[in-house]
Amino acid sequence: MKEQTKAKKIHFHMTKKAWIVLTALFVVYIGMSLFFEKHFFFRSTVNGVNASGATAEKVMQEIEAQSKGYTLSIQEAKTKEKFSQKDLGISVKSKQEDFDQYLGQQNGFLWLGSLFSPKKYESKALVS
């Protein structure tokens, strides 16, 4: 009789632990889902710039920073010329709304899928 009671207690105790673990996983999943409503998924890129976990504003700043470091080198037979971003007249035409639009395309609750397949956003209108 005591063995049956003991077995029931062990079974109930394990079930209680399982519920605690499931509840914790659910809370983490919901928290990450809310995080990815305002941030890019893991393994995301925007015009070749790593956007994983970044906000739209952060990605825009990174693209602007990369454009400032752009140089074009032309080498002829005896001379080599370098042109900077300013010499070429390259400017970033992006706005916060462009990047917010990319974030609007993703559903925060589907963040687990981003672990298995990367997401690439390309826009030809970002640089002129």
Side-chain angles (χ1 to χ4, degrees), residues 77-117:
K78 296 180 182 180
T79 61
K80 183 176 182 180
E81 293 187 53
K82 281 192 173 185
F83 299 95
S84 70
Q85 168 256 343
K86 284 186 178 183
D87 296 333
L88 297 170
I90 294 174
S91 64
V92 177
K93 300 190 319 182
S94 60
K95 300 177 195 141
Q96 183 74 32
E97 294 83 28
D98 298 332
F99 298 97
D100 288 336
Q101 177 185 4
Y102 295 141
L103 280 176
Q105 293 174 7
Q106 69 183 29
N107 180 349
F109 289 95
L110 301 176
W111 67 270
L112 277 175
S114 71
L115 298 173
F116 305 105
S117 63

Side-chain angles (χ1 to χ4, degrees), residues 39-64 66 92 94-96 98-103 105-106 118-127:
H39 297 80
F40 285 97
F41 285 152
F42 298 123
R43 302 180 66 197
S44 294
T45 58
V46 177
N47 282 25
V49 173
N50 182 11
S52 297
T55 61
E57 182 180 358
K58 183 78 173 168
V59 173
M60 185 175 77
Q61 290 170 355
E62 182 65 28
I63 288 175
E64 288 174 352
Q66 283 189 4
V92 177
S94 60
K95 300 177 195 141
Q96 183 74 32
D98 298 332
F99 298 97
D100 288 336
Q101 177 185 4
Y102 295 141
L103 280 176
Q105 293 174 7
Q106 69 183 29
K119 189 71 176 167
K120 295 181 182 181
Y121 300 98
E122 295 288 330
S123 175
K124 294 176 183 156
L126 289 180
V127 179

